Amino acid sequence: GVGLRPTAETANPEIIDAYFWLKTPGESDGCSSERLPDGGLCRRYDPDCSSEDSLGDGANEPLAPKAGDWFDYQIKQLAANARMSLA
């Protein structure tokens, strides 16, 4: 899922001020291969940032778009894995 809601109530307030999201859920972290979903070349692809379990590397997963682009597959996966507690 997406994770904890942003909050200043943390498990250890003496060393952790808050939990918050650094970027918008659904925004791509970057290309999962040298190719973009549209078949073009990803000029910012970095093989050091890729791993066999990167989203977009699985057999039934679409390639991840370049960093900052909307990754529809990712946000749908986050929503499907969310725990919908309001607490």
Side-chain angles (χ1 to χ4, degrees), residues 30-39 55-57 61-65 71 73:
C31 309
S32 56
S33 78
E34 294 181 58
R35 292 276 162 213
L36 292 168
D38 66 5
L55 192 57
D57 285 344
E61 297 173 347
L63 295 173
F71 193 6
Y73 181 84

PDB file of all heavy atoms in Angstrom, residues 30-39 55-57 61-65 71 73:
ATOM      1  N   GLY A  30      11.424   6.368 -11.999  1.00  0.00           N
ATOM      2  CA  GLY A  30      12.316   6.366 -13.162  1.00  0.00           C
ATOM      3  C   GLY A  30      12.183   5.103 -13.976  1.00  0.00           C
ATOM      4  O   GLY A  30      11.525   4.141 -13.584  1.00  0.00           O
ATOM      5  N   CYS A  31      12.802   5.115 -15.122  1.00  0.00           N
ATOM      6  CA  CYS A  31      12.735   4.011 -16.089  1.00  0.00           C
ATOM      7  C   CYS A  31      13.182   2.689 -15.474  1.00  0.00           C
ATOM      8  O   CYS A  31      14.158   2.642 -14.734  1.00  0.00           O
ATOM      9  CB  CYS A  31      13.637   4.299 -17.282  1.00  0.00           C
ATOM     10  SG  CYS A  31      13.397   5.896 -18.033  1.00  0.00           S
ATOM     11  N   SER A  32      12.470   1.627 -15.824  1.00  0.00           N
ATOM     12  CA  SER A  32      12.851   0.297 -15.342  1.00  0.00           C
ATOM     13  C   SER A  32      13.751  -0.417 -16.350  1.00  0.00           C
ATOM     14  O   SER A  32      14.257  -1.492 -16.073  1.00  0.00           O
ATOM     15  CB  SER A  32      11.606  -0.549 -15.064  1.00  0.00           C
ATOM     16  OG  SER A  32      10.777  -0.632 -16.205  1.00  0.00           O
ATOM     17  N   SER A  33      13.925   0.180 -17.507  1.00  0.00           N
ATOM     18  CA  SER A  33      14.820  -0.379 -18.523  1.00  0.00           C
ATOM     19  C   SER A  33      15.302   0.754 -19.423  1.00  0.00           C
ATOM     20  O   SER A  33      14.929   1.905 -19.229  1.00  0.00           O
ATOM     21  CB  SER A  33      14.103  -1.445 -19.354  1.00  0.00           C
ATOM     22  OG  SER A  33      13.260  -0.836 -20.305  1.00  0.00           O
ATOM     23  N   GLU A  34      16.111   0.416 -20.402  1.00  0.00           N
ATOM     24  CA  GLU A  34      16.595   1.434 -21.340  1.00  0.00           C
ATOM     25  C   GLU A  34      15.495   1.908 -22.283  1.00  0.00           C
ATOM     26  O   GLU A  34      15.650   2.913 -22.960  1.00  0.00           O
ATOM     27  CB  GLU A  34      17.774   0.884 -22.140  1.00  0.00           C
ATOM     28  CG  GLU A  34      18.988   0.611 -21.273  1.00  0.00           C
ATOM     29  CD  GLU A  34      20.159   0.083 -22.065  1.00  0.00           C
ATOM     30  OE1 GLU A  34      20.600   0.783 -22.997  1.00  0.00           O
ATOM     31  OE2 GLU A  34      20.620  -1.022 -21.750  1.00  0.00           O
ATOM     32  N   ARG A  35      14.379   1.174 -22.297  1.00  0.00           N
ATOM     33  CA  ARG A  35      13.255   1.521 -23.170  1.00  0.00           C
ATOM     34  C   ARG A  35      12.104   2.091 -22.356  1.00  0.00           C
ATOM     35  O   ARG A  35      11.806   1.639 -21.257  1.00  0.00           O
ATOM     36  CB  ARG A  35      12.763   0.298 -23.925  1.00  0.00           C
ATOM     37  CG  ARG A  35      13.747  -0.192 -24.937  1.00  0.00           C
ATOM     38  CD  ARG A  35      13.603   0.592 -26.229  1.00  0.00           C
ATOM     39  NE  ARG A  35      14.796   0.428 -27.031  1.00  0.00           N
ATOM     40  CZ  ARG A  35      15.282   1.359 -27.818  1.00  0.00           C
ATOM     41  NH1 ARG A  35      14.699   2.507 -27.937  1.00  0.00           N
ATOM     42  NH2 ARG A  35      16.361   1.144 -28.520  1.00  0.00           N
ATOM     43  N   LEU A  36      11.443   3.087 -22.918  1.00  0.00           N
ATOM     44  CA  LEU A  36      10.240   3.671 -22.328  1.00  0.00           C
ATOM     45  C   LEU A  36       9.021   2.875 -22.782  1.00  0.00           C
ATOM     46  O   LEU A  36       9.097   2.141 -23.775  1.00  0.00           O
ATOM     47  CB  LEU A  36      10.102   5.131 -22.776  1.00  0.00           C
ATOM     48  CG  LEU A  36      11.159   6.082 -22.228  1.00  0.00           C
ATOM     49  CD1 LEU A  36      11.103   7.420 -22.962  1.00  0.00           C
ATOM     50  CD2 LEU A  36      10.965   6.276 -20.736  1.00  0.00           C
ATOM     51  N   PRO A  37       7.895   3.020 -22.098  1.00  0.00           N
ATOM     52  CA  PRO A  37       6.690   2.290 -22.512  1.00  0.00           C
ATOM     53  C   PRO A  37       6.285   2.542 -23.966  1.00  0.00           C
ATOM     54  O   PRO A  37       5.732   1.662 -24.616  1.00  0.00           O
ATOM     55  CB  PRO A  37       5.620   2.807 -21.549  1.00  0.00           C
ATOM     56  CG  PRO A  37       6.384   3.209 -20.327  1.00  0.00           C
ATOM     57  CD  PRO A  37       7.689   3.750 -20.849  1.00  0.00           C
ATOM     58  N   ASP A  38       6.597   3.736 -24.491  1.00  0.00           N
ATOM     59  CA  ASP A  38       6.232   4.027 -25.881  1.00  0.00           C
ATOM     60  C   ASP A  38       7.267   3.521 -26.883  1.00  0.00           C
ATOM     61  O   ASP A  38       7.151   3.744 -28.087  1.00  0.00           O
ATOM     62  CB  ASP A  38       6.010   5.531 -26.078  1.00  0.00           C
ATOM     63  CG  ASP A  38       7.277   6.366 -25.893  1.00  0.00           C
ATOM     64  OD1 ASP A  38       8.383   5.798 -25.710  1.00  0.00           O
ATOM     65  OD2 ASP A  38       7.161   7.606 -25.930  1.00  0.00           O
ATOM     66  N   GLY A  39       8.322   2.830 -26.386  1.00  0.00           N
ATOM     67  CA  GLY A  39       9.344   2.276 -27.250  1.00  0.00           C
ATOM     68  C   GLY A  39      10.564   3.169 -27.441  1.00  0.00           C
ATOM     69  O   GLY A  39      11.570   2.749 -27.983  1.00  0.00           O
ATOM     70  N   LEU A  55       9.771  -2.510  -9.966  1.00  0.00           N
ATOM     71  CA  LEU A  55       8.468  -2.477 -10.601  1.00  0.00           C
ATOM     72  C   LEU A  55       8.657  -2.150 -12.078  1.00  0.00           C
ATOM     73  O   LEU A  55       9.354  -1.196 -12.427  1.00  0.00           O
ATOM     74  CB  LEU A  55       7.581  -1.427  -9.934  1.00  0.00           C
ATOM     75  CG  LEU A  55       6.108  -1.441 -10.282  1.00  0.00           C
ATOM     76  CD1 LEU A  55       5.497  -2.798  -9.984  1.00  0.00           C
ATOM     77  CD2 LEU A  55       5.380  -0.365  -9.505  1.00  0.00           C
ATOM     78  N   GLY A  56       8.094  -2.962 -12.934  1.00  0.00           N
ATOM     79  CA  GLY A  56       8.262  -2.802 -14.376  1.00  0.00           C
ATOM     80  C   GLY A  56       9.186  -3.853 -14.961  1.00  0.00           C
ATOM     81  O   GLY A  56       9.326  -3.951 -16.167  1.00  0.00           O
ATOM     82  N   ASP A  57       9.822  -4.650 -14.116  1.00  0.00           N
ATOM     83  CA  ASP A  57      10.704  -5.714 -14.587  1.00  0.00           C
ATOM     84  C   ASP A  57      10.026  -7.081 -14.611  1.00  0.00           C
ATOM     85  O   ASP A  57      10.555  -8.026 -15.155  1.00  0.00           O
ATOM     86  CB  ASP A  57      11.969  -5.813 -13.720  1.00  0.00           C
ATOM     87  CG  ASP A  57      12.960  -4.696 -14.009  1.00  0.00           C
ATOM     88  OD1 ASP A  57      12.825  -4.044 -15.053  1.00  0.00           O
ATOM     89  OD2 ASP A  57      13.866  -4.490 -13.185  1.00  0.00           O
ATOM     90  N   GLU A  61       4.258  -6.973 -15.973  1.00  0.00           N
ATOM     91  CA  GLU A  61       4.256  -5.568 -15.583  1.00  0.00           C
ATOM     92  C   GLU A  61       4.683  -4.687 -16.758  1.00  0.00           C
ATOM     93  O   GLU A  61       5.598  -5.030 -17.491  1.00  0.00           O
ATOM     94  CB  GLU A  61       5.224  -5.321 -14.421  1.00  0.00           C
ATOM     95  CG  GLU A  61       4.854  -6.049 -13.162  1.00  0.00           C
ATOM     96  CD  GLU A  61       5.915  -5.919 -12.087  1.00  0.00           C
ATOM     97  OE1 GLU A  61       7.042  -5.477 -12.372  1.00  0.00           O
ATOM     98  OE2 GLU A  61       5.602  -6.277 -10.944  1.00  0.00           O
ATOM     99  N   PRO A  62       4.029  -3.532 -16.909  1.00  0.00           N
ATOM    100  CA  PRO A  62       4.473  -2.614 -17.962  1.00  0.00           C
ATOM    101  C   PRO A  62       5.786  -1.948 -17.563  1.00  0.00           C
ATOM    102  O   PRO A  62       6.107  -1.861 -16.374  1.00  0.00           O
ATOM    103  CB  PRO A  62       3.342  -1.581 -18.016  1.00  0.00           C
ATOM    104  CG  PRO A  62       2.771  -1.587 -16.636  1.00  0.00           C
ATOM    105  CD  PRO A  62       2.894  -3.016 -16.152  1.00  0.00           C
ATOM    106  N   LEU A  63       6.551  -1.487 -18.544  1.00  0.00           N
ATOM    107  CA  LEU A  63       7.772  -0.753 -18.251  1.00  0.00           C
ATOM    108  C   LEU A  63       7.429   0.523 -17.484  1.00  0.00           C
ATOM    109  O   LEU A  63       6.405   1.152 -17.732  1.00  0.00           O
ATOM    110  CB  LEU A  63       8.492  -0.375 -19.546  1.00  0.00           C
ATOM    111  CG  LEU A  63       9.023  -1.535 -20.386  1.00  0.00           C
ATOM    112  CD1 LEU A  63       9.563  -1.005 -21.711  1.00  0.00           C
ATOM    113  CD2 LEU A  63      10.094  -2.288 -19.630  1.00  0.00           C
ATOM    114  N   ALA A  64       8.286   0.889 -16.551  1.00  0.00           N
ATOM    115  CA  ALA A  64       8.079   2.126 -15.805  1.00  0.00           C
ATOM    116  C   ALA A  64       8.453   3.315 -16.685  1.00  0.00           C
ATOM    117  O   ALA A  64       9.442   3.266 -17.414  1.00  0.00           O
ATOM    118  CB  ALA A  64       8.922   2.127 -14.535  1.00  0.00           C
ATOM    119  N   PRO A  65       7.680   4.404 -16.608  1.00  0.00           N
ATOM    120  CA  PRO A  65       8.021   5.604 -17.385  1.00  0.00           C
ATOM    121  C   PRO A  65       9.174   6.367 -16.742  1.00  0.00           C
ATOM    122  O   PRO A  65       9.613   6.030 -15.649  1.00  0.00           O
ATOM    123  CB  PRO A  65       6.730   6.417 -17.340  1.00  0.00           C
ATOM    124  CG  PRO A  65       6.058   5.995 -16.082  1.00  0.00           C
ATOM    125  CD  PRO A  65       6.440   4.549 -15.876  1.00  0.00           C
ATOM    126  N   PHE A  71       2.621   6.894 -13.314  1.00  0.00           N
ATOM    127  CA  PHE A  71       2.755   5.448 -13.508  1.00  0.00           C
ATOM    128  C   PHE A  71       1.465   4.811 -13.030  1.00  0.00           C
ATOM    129  O   PHE A  71       1.323   4.428 -11.872  1.00  0.00           O
ATOM    130  CB  PHE A  71       3.966   4.938 -12.731  1.00  0.00           C
ATOM    131  CG  PHE A  71       4.417   3.539 -13.083  1.00  0.00           C
ATOM    132  CD1 PHE A  71       3.861   2.812 -14.119  1.00  0.00           C
ATOM    133  CD2 PHE A  71       5.434   2.951 -12.353  1.00  0.00           C
ATOM    134  CE1 PHE A  71       4.292   1.533 -14.432  1.00  0.00           C
ATOM    135  CE2 PHE A  71       5.872   1.665 -12.644  1.00  0.00           C
ATOM    136  CZ  PHE A  71       5.303   0.966 -13.686  1.00  0.00           C
ATOM    137  N   TYR A  73       0.023   1.978 -13.485  1.00  0.00           N
ATOM    138  CA  TYR A  73       0.123   0.621 -12.935  1.00  0.00           C
ATOM    139  C   TYR A  73       0.540   0.666 -11.463  1.00  0.00           C
ATOM    140  O   TYR A  73       0.005  -0.061 -10.636  1.00  0.00           O
ATOM    141  CB  TYR A  73       1.130  -0.190 -13.752  1.00  0.00           C
ATOM    142  CG  TYR A  73       1.298  -1.619 -13.280  1.00  0.00           C
ATOM    143  CD1 TYR A  73       0.426  -2.610 -13.702  1.00  0.00           C
ATOM    144  CD2 TYR A  73       2.312  -1.970 -12.401  1.00  0.00           C
ATOM    145  CE1 TYR A  73       0.574  -3.919 -13.273  1.00  0.00           C
ATOM    146  CE2 TYR A  73       2.467  -3.275 -11.962  1.00  0.00           C
ATOM    147  CZ  TYR A  73       1.592  -4.240 -12.400  1.00  0.00           C
ATOM    148  OH  TYR A  73       1.734  -5.545 -11.963  1.00  0.00           O
TER     149      TYR A  73
END
